[in-house]
Amino acid sequence: ETLRVGIIGTGVMGQDHARNFASGIAGGRLVAVADVNTAAASSLAAQAGAEHVFSSGEELIDSGEVDAVIIAAPDRFHAGLTIRAMERGLPVLCEKPLAPTADEAAGVVHRERELGESLVTVGFMRRFDPGYLALKQRLVTGMDGALLMSHSVHRNVDAHPDGTSSDTITNSGIHEIDTIPWLAGSPIAHVQWTSGKGSSLITKRLDPQFYLMTDAAGVLHTVEVQVQAQYGYDVRCELVCETANVELPRVPTLVEENPVLVSKNLTASSAYPADWRPRFAAAYRAELNAWVQAASAKQIPEGAATATDALRATNVANALVESMERGGVQVAVPAIEEVLG
Ligand code: INS
């Protein structure tokens, strides 16, 4: 039986998930689209062959026309919509972050526990990226000795125009904040935010930013996030182990549309993607396939981020925001049991 899926939100990610459905996801079909901008919802629905259009996420969730929901609305609506879908017994794939604040994320986890059913998958798609998966598989074998440090770099071409310095942490840095403990197998215990000279090209946020994070095993993780990097979408991760150094290949060689390096006119060149969609296309497809399979059985895909994982990530992100607001002091990450109250 085919899973009837509804998408809430017609921005970049709503469109991207719809495109993936249009190109065929086994066991699932996009049947409904919701957006307050009903013209945008109608046009995406028409493109993707979905028959139902709603002017709010709540109406889509309550309609009885869908078996499962993808939430790709702005971050501040994620937690409320997720709770509503859970209350209707609908499996959810909520785009990251589950919420900008740990309190809101904790609200989702509370409700999930009350309802006694785990139906929430959070779209930390890097967990489905072949490169990150290979890093993790290699670490698990122990063949390179213990992990000693990691260094990550996360660069966007340009930022969401209204974003703040906190949004850089809770919306962009949140990927590293989720991925690093997933790789290292140890939760982040202490964080420290810092920055130096900022770009003159962006006024609303400090950019770039730099995070020092220590996990419970004492491993140091450094993260640079630059949302106004101009030159290309670039995500790097390097693991420093006792007997080897393992890193993701540099981005240009991974771009599906342009997998070659061209040497011509005394110059070597290869294209960078303009945003995350080409870089993580394989991850998004794998995530969606796995989620449709799992959701059909009212489950969460193996290895995907749960609501509790997402609460953990937002909790660390909030500790970084606190460090930033307190002038870069080191902040101990509160235990999530503490946040859950
Ligand atoms: C996007 C998305 C991208 C990330 C961007 C973020 O919402 O999560 O993967 O690179 O910084 O704004």
Side-chain angles (χ1 to χ4, degrees), residues 96 125 154 156 160 171-172 175 233 276 284:
K96 44 57 60 181
M125 78 298 180
H154 181 171
N156 291 184
H160 302 191
N171 179 272
S172 297
H175 283 291
Y233 187 77
W276 53 92
Y284 282 119

Side-chain angles (χ1 to χ4, degrees), residues 31-186:
V31 301
V33 177
D35 200 298
V36 282
N37 179 345
T38 42
S42 303
S43 107
L44 185 61
Q47 266 171 47
E51 48 268 50
H52 307 287
V53 175
F54 299 97
S55 58
S56 76
E58 289 78 3
E59 285 170 59
L60 181 147
I61 289 167
D62 296 348
S63 68
E65 302 290 352
V66 301
D67 306 313
V69 181
I70 294 178
I71 298 172
D75 295 359
R76 64 184 184 282
F77 301 123
H78 288 184
L81 289 167
T82 297
I83 289 174
R84 183 131 178 167
M86 278 175 1
E87 288 172 344
R88 298 282 177 281
L90 302 177
V92 176
L93 173 60
C94 179
E95 268 307 327
K96 44 57 60 181
L98 181 54
T101 67
D103 280 349
E104 291 167 274
V108 177
V109 173
H110 267 303
R111 197 76 186 105
E112 187 181 53
R113 289 182 182 179
E114 279 165 13
L115 294 166
E117 205 180 10
S118 296
L119 296 174
V120 181
T121 302
V122 180
F124 283 112
M125 78 298 180
R126 290 188 187 182
R127 292 173 176 232
F128 292 89
D129 175 67
Y132 276 102
L133 278 168
L135 289 182
K136 184 172 168 71
Q137 275 151 17
R138 194 163 169 120
L139 268 183
V140 164
T141 67
M143 67 196 290
D144 302 316
L147 175 67
L148 304 176
M149 270 200 281
S150 79
H151 303 297
S152 296
V153 167
H154 181 171
R155 302 207 179 107
N156 291 184
V157 171
D158 50 19
H160 302 191
D162 299 326
T164 62
S165 291
S166 307
D167 293 334
T168 295
I169 303 167
T170 61
N171 179 272
S172 297
I174 195 87
H175 283 291
E176 279 74 20
I177 292 168
D178 175 67
T179 307
I180 289 166
W182 170 81
L183 279 171
S186 177

Side-chain angles (χ1 to χ4, degrees), residues 311-334:
L311 164 60
R312 225 171 247 125
T314 293
N315 188 39
V316 173
N318 284 188
L320 276 162
V321 172
E322 183 187 336
S323 172
M324 176 177 77
E325 285 170 351
R326 292 174 55 202
V329 298
Q330 193 185 60
V331 173
V333 177

